[in-house]
Amino acid sequence: MSGGPESNKVVIIGGGPGGYESALVAAQLGAQVTVVDTDGLGGSAVLTDCVPSKTLIATAEVMTDVAGAAELGVNFHDHEGDPAAAISVDLARVNERVMQLAADQSADIARRLAKEGVEVIQGRGRLDGPNRVVVGAQTLEADAILVATGAAPRVLPTAQPDGERILTWEQVYDLTEMPTELIVVGSGVTGAEFASAYLALGISVTLVSSRDRVLPGEDADASHVLEEVSRRRGMKLLSESRMESVTRDGDVVTVTLTDGRSIQGSHCILALGSVPNTTDLGLEEAGVILKDGGFVNVDRVSRTSARGVYAAGDCTGVLMLASVAAMQGRIAMWHFLGDTVHPLDLKKVSSNVFTAPEIATVGWSQQAVDAGEIQAEAVMLPLSGNARAKMQGVHDGFVKLFCRPGTGIVVGGVIVGPRASELIHPVSIAVAESLTADQLAQAFTVYPSMSGSVAEAARRLHRV
Ligand SMILES: Cc1cc2nc3c(=O)[nH]c(=O)nc-3n(C[C@H](O)[C@H](O)[C@H](O)COP(=O)(O)OP(=O)(O)OC[C@H]3O[C@@H](n4cnc5c(N)ncnc54)[C@H](O)[C@@H]3O)c2cc1C
């Protein structure tokens, strides 16, 4: 239970992973904790972004497996040999499941916070100086404040979502009928994930990218595999195509590009990035400096420029991941409440793009190696040579590892393949614990297994 009469008072604004995970740590360390949240515990991560999209993708994964089942000798009868025709997706049911699962998870978090003695106030919080938070008529005094207000989808005046056919990623779960021609604008992680998922559900998809490739921020070899697989499965990829506007006329949505071309479809998803929820929070008045784009400036222990005010998660723009938000929040609480604290190290973060195939990365990247930011040796091993991959009909993907030339210490890796999000973990441990490629190669892997390729890649980095 948190909070004796003398305990520190911590007020957290925002109930997403940045907020609720830090509330748990603060309560564990004996603080008196209040979480102020507008939309429901779990934040965007649970209610509109991470959890709903990955639940939708779980259905897409089943469809991807079905599409490849014929190769493994599975016949679908009565539909003239076309497996896709034998199976269909009920989008209304899928979305119902998505929303139920998100609501359940939010309720789980609420129960957990209540159990740990954390007070939750529903409402919009605003700083009144560095030691006070105002929620409606209520004023909360605080020894420390954590700002974890997240971010919202970026929209443009020329591309206004209508919630029916022009949609932000938060609105897609209201769809009850399958789009016939879906246009996804934006080829970052969110755009790529939705394009891949809806394609697998059997929808015709065009992905509009302003850059020369999808996932411009990710490993180029990984992007290449994803583009090749997506094209093979029928996705239309438009690169170097900058959206000028999105308009709707009845059932038809038109995306006009800056070079004058236009594409028509039945629906459009806007995946144009996020803007931080930092306006009108009283931040600057409390002495909190904001960076370009309105993100809160924080150091590696989540301190802002105002004493006693910390910030975590998407509102800081450090790395927009639920896992990073949670870690920034925990670090803030460990720091404020005097527990052992290691500053945030982005070179140890593992992340995943939930496309088909998945793309998981950890540590230093190929771009950084090529730019000379770190010296590293690299090895890239296609999954197609892996015995388990052959058995499962997996043809695409690879394992890539980076290690330091002298010591052989593993500093990064990329895995492209089914369940890459799970496969990356041994590489993550190696990076976190500064293991050498030899040590990574030494541990037994199951035969046959995809993880065998991780060990094999590590063996190839052995130097005599
Ligand atoms: C489509 C999509 C998929 C994603 N998938 C993944 C994934 O698979 N893995 C991953 O790690 N990350 C994923 N992310 C990123 C992840 O969702 C975010 O990094 C994460 O939500 C950040 O957490 P947060 O606590 O900073 O903010 P949020 O989760 O946005 O929570 C902030 C909360 O604060 C509330 N709030 C805002 N202002 C106030 C106020 N003034 N007073 C009170 N409450 C307020 C908001 O209503 C919200 O509930 C995804 C993002 C998107 C868009």
Side-chain angles (χ1 to χ4, degrees), residues 48 69 73 80 86 90 107 119-120 141 184 192 208 210 229 251 262 315 331 350 386 395 401 447:
T48 54
E80 278 127 37
D90 180 343
E119 182 190 19
V120 176
E141 303 291 335
V184 178
V208 178
S210 62
V229 173
D251 293 350
S262 65
C315 69
I331 286 174
S350 60
N386 177 294
H395 307 286
L401 291 180
Y447 181 82

Side-chain angles (χ1 to χ4, degrees), residues 22 72 164 167 202 213 228 234 277 306 325 345 381 434 445 458:
S22 43
L72 276 67
E164 289 179 2
L167 307 162
R213 62 174 168 98
E228 203 180 287
N277 296 326
D345 184 353
L381 201 63
S434 298
T445 56

